[in-house]
Amino acid sequence: MSADTAPRKLVLYVAGQTPKSLAAIANLQRICAEHLPGRYAVEVVDLKQQPHLAREHSIVAIPTLVRELPVPLKKIIGDLSDTHKVLVNLKVEGE
Amino acid sequence: MTAPSSPDASRNIAALAPGLSAEVAELRRRLDEAEDTLRAIRNGEVDALVMRDGVGEDVFTIGGDAESYRKFIEAMEPGAAAVDDAGRLLYANTALCNLIGAPLAALQGRALAECFDARAAADIAGLLAGPSNGRRSAEISLTAPPAAPASPPATDGARHFTVAAMPVRLGTVSGQAVTFTDLTERVRAEHAERAEQVAKAIIASANEAVLVCDRTGIITHANLAAAQLADGPLVGRDFDEAVPLGFPFGVGLMGGGDLLALAAAGGSIQGIEVIARAAPKVQDYLVSAAPLQIAPGQISGCVLTMVDLSARKAAEKQQLLLMRELDHRVKNTLALVLSISNRTLSIEDTLEGFQTAFTARIQALAATHTLLAQKSWSNLSLRDVLAAEIAPYADERSGRVKLVDVDVDLAPRAAIALGLIFHELATNAVKYGALSAATGQVTVQIAGRSPERDALRLVWSESGGPVVTGPRRHGFGRTVIARSLGYSPNGAADLAFPAAGVICTIDIPGEDLA
């Protein structure tokens, strides 16, 4: 499976409509639209509604973005306002 | 103590027990993640934490629960929102969501400015981008109507708001509290007040009497010119009672109340002559009535304008007088022309003689008429009449004619009569008298009051001409001279033929002297 066709998935953990959660959602939408159009499936998980889902990725701080696929799993903590940091962490081996 | 995660230590452990390598790597990854989490918390990059106890997970918001400020914002009557430093909407109350026309879920995370039309967006963006060291505000207008307007639009169709922004701390983030205070009602009231002032100014500055009545016929407005319609104040009184109207031309309306009823029903009445019976001075008016529409299809009363007709009535009377006078004068002139024609025809033996004499007499009449027309049929000076009739034969500059003390003003009828007399005297003098000889002279002078009648005596005397002998027959010229002033008992003209020269003594009626 090539790097281009490998499944890619991001999970953003937020806590309802806290300012950082809202900022993280907006920033992730912007980054995906501007830099990664169509390359990631994005899931937003509201831990206020479903706190038990924090267990899957051992989430402690919110907001946290998890790159679930491709492996290895990566976490970016914060509101994703640092676009460069986000892009560096999402960089896939071989790209 | 040596850090267990140092590279040297890891290599040593891996060398000692290869199976432990993966476990160490995992421990190191978790340590890095824990450090990353602590750093993020310390730097304020997160605002919630997941707490785990024996039962399960729970989410704890750092910096207080956002619900508290949301409840506060929701309770505010004006539209209110919390935005982060980038201007993104964190929360908006129901009033603001209604104003924008979208549910909160669709707005959160969006730039607040982008929720409005372009012009308002620019104003809001500028406001939020300004220095955040205090309260700032700006006024915006929204032209696009929201789904559920809190208040109807102002007269310009827009809704007006004061937008105020104030820096606030929201949990771990700094942001701004933004309020939208609806000014539409105030702007509309200001517009209405200005419109009212303009309307009042227009009514007040109108020359015509302007009255505004409500649907029940009570006068609500009256300008200064309307004060002449009745004694005392008009506002607050019933129109029909305060300004009772009569309709001289019987247009089928019974009274002013009918005018109001017609206008209140949407009809318009223009230019009806009325008599304002209670008006202390001017009573003739031209009245117009129109419905007072404060909104389309909504008639709240009527507007009456009343134009003072006194000047027009006076002009009509003057015109009628002038027409009668003109008719009278034309008839007189025609009678005179007919008389001249008949008498000339009875005297002259030939057609050529008739033509010459008749034409000259009509021209003499025309000369006086010309003078009268130039003076708009007002008084003429005796000197002008004399000059006009003698001019074809001689003038004062030649020394043949001498006019003494003839600066007297004459009524038109005397001017016409004297014009004919002077014409006959002048043509006679040219044919047979003083002006037929090279050295002859005519003197015309006022000789004081007539001893016989109320008249001013004027004497025409000729000298230096041929020896005068009395005429063999009584020609038309003598008739004209003798009779022209006969319209008044104070008028007369007597012709004498002494050998030295003709003398004509003329009494100008005193009533025709200005």
Side-chain angles (χ1 to χ4, degrees), chain A residues 17-18 20 55 60 62 75, chain B residues 33 47-48 50 57 70:
Chain A
Q17 281 83 38
T18 65
K20 291 292 182 189
R55 205 174 302 161
V60 175
I62 304 172
K75 288 184 181 176
Chain B
E33 188 179 316
D47 57 4
V50 178
E57 291 79 7
R70 290 179 184 186

Side-chain angles (χ1 to χ4, degrees), chain B residues 221-289:
Chain B
H221 296 77
N223 68 354
L224 198 59
Q228 63 189 343
L229 293 169
D231 283 325
L234 289 165
V235 174
R237 294 171 67 188
D238 180 81
F239 175 80
D240 227 1
E241 172 265 323
V243 189
L245 298 180
F247 296 83
F249 296 105
V251 293
L253 294 168
M254 298 305 290
D258 298 300
L259 281 177
L260 302 186
L262 273 169
S268 186
I269 299 143
Q270 286 193 331
I272 295 176
E273 279 193 34
V274 295
I275 296 168
R277 292 194 293 262
K281 290 181 183 172
V282 177
Q283 293 199 325
D284 294 313
Y285 287 93
L286 202 64
V287 67
S288 298

Side-chain angles (χ1 to χ4, degrees), chain B residues 143-483:
Chain B
T143 49
S151 60
T155 48
D156 58 0
R159 300 185 64 217
H160 303 267
F161 294 86
T162 289
V163 183
M166 185 86 175
V168 290
R169 189 82 192 164
L170 301 165
T172 57
V173 300
S174 59
Q176 302 187 69
V178 187
T179 56
F180 290 71
T181 306
D182 195 342
L183 301 178
T184 309
E185 190 59 40
R186 195 188 83 191
V187 171
R188 193 170 50 174
E190 285 172 355
H191 283 181
E193 191 179 348
R194 273 201 295 276
E196 172 86 5
Q197 284 171 347
V198 169
K200 278 184 177 172
I202 290 170
I203 291 174
S205 59
N207 290 325
E208 298 82 12
V210 180
L211 298 129
V212 181
C213 299
D214 65 16
R215 293 185 71 90
T216 64
I218 301 296
I219 300 169
T220 57
H221 296 77
N223 68 354
L224 198 59
Q228 63 189 343
L229 293 169
D231 283 325
L234 289 165
V235 174
R237 294 171 67 188
D238 180 81
F239 175 80
D240 227 1
E241 172 265 323
V243 189
L245 298 180
F247 296 83
F249 296 105
V251 293
L253 294 168
M254 298 305 290
D258 298 300
L259 281 177
L260 302 186
L262 273 169
S268 186
I269 299 143
Q270 286 193 331
I272 295 176
E273 279 193 34
V274 295
I275 296 168
R277 292 194 293 262
K281 290 181 183 172
V282 177
Q283 293 199 325
D284 294 313
Y285 287 93
L286 202 64
V287 67
S288 298
L292 176 64
Q293 289 193 324
I294 55 170
Q298 190 181 343
I299 297 170
S300 63
C302 85
V303 180
L304 289 145
T305 54
M306 297 180 69
V307 181
D308 178 354
L309 279 185
S310 56
R312 197 176 110 180
K313 286 281 179 188
E316 283 176 359
K317 276 181 190 168
Q318 176 73 7
Q319 189 180 26
L320 193 63
L321 276 173
L322 286 174
M323 284 174 67
R324 284 178 183 161
E325 178 67 18
L326 182 64
D327 179 56
H328 176 67
R329 285 175 187 175
V330 167
K331 280 178 180 165
N332 281 354
T333 305
L334 288 174
L336 192 58
V337 168
L338 202 58
S339 168
I340 291 170
S341 168
N342 286 336
R343 298 300 300 233
T344 307
L345 198 58
S346 68
I347 299 297
E348 296 296 333
D349 299 327
T350 63
L351 190 59
E352 288 76 15
F354 168 79
Q355 186 184 15
T356 304
F358 181 72
T359 303
R361 283 169 180 147
I362 296 301
Q363 282 172 342
L365 188 62
T368 308
H369 269 265
T370 301
L371 283 177
L372 283 166
Q374 284 170 354
K375 293 277 185 112
S376 303
W377 285 80
S378 60
N379 291 343
L380 290 184
S381 90
L382 176 58
R383 179 182 292 279
D384 287 344
V385 176
L386 274 164
E389 298 301 341
I390 297 173
Y393 315 108
D395 60 28
E396 282 192 274
R397 283 173 299 180
S398 69
R400 308 287 303 277
V401 177
K402 194 175 172 187
L403 306 178
V404 182
D405 296 335
V406 292
D407 294 307
V408 175
D409 280 350
L410 305 168
R413 64 175 184 174
I416 290 172
L418 287 169
L420 291 171
I421 292 170
F422 294 145
H423 167 72
E424 294 301 332
L425 289 170
T427 51
N428 190 62
V430 168
K431 278 184 187 172
Y432 315 109
L435 298 181
S436 67
T439 57
Q441 196 176 38
V442 174
T443 301
V444 184
Q445 70 179 102
I446 297 291
R449 306 295 302 177
S450 166
E452 298 150 28
R453 49 187 71 86
D454 177 18
L456 188 66
R457 178 149 291 180
L458 178 73
V459 178
W460 169 292
S461 57
E462 298 180 20
S463 60
V467 174
V468 174
T469 55
R472 289 189 301 276
R473 60 176 186 175
H474 193 89
F476 178 56
R478 285 185 69 183
T479 305
V480 169
I481 291 168
R483 293 188 182 173

Side-chain angles (χ1 to χ4, degrees), chain A residues 9-16 18 20-22 24-25 28 42-48 50-68 73-80, chain B residues 46-48 50 59:
Chain A
K9 183 178 181 186
L10 299 176
V11 181
L12 177 62
Y13 290 93
V14 297
T18 65
K20 291 292 182 189
S21 297
L22 291 170
I25 293 169
L28 182 60
V42 177
E43 181 186 358
V44 177
V45 175
D46 184 355
L47 294 179
K48 271 273 192 188
Q50 298 167 297
H52 63 280
L53 295 182
R55 205 174 302 161
E56 183 179 353
H57 289 128
S58 303
I59 299 300
V60 175
I62 304 172
T64 294
L65 178 67
V66 176
R67 191 188 76 177
E68 197 174 62
L73 182 144
K74 288 194 175 179
K75 288 184 181 176
I76 307 167
I77 302 170
D79 64 3
L80 312 179
Chain B
V46 297
D47 57 4
V50 178
V59 173

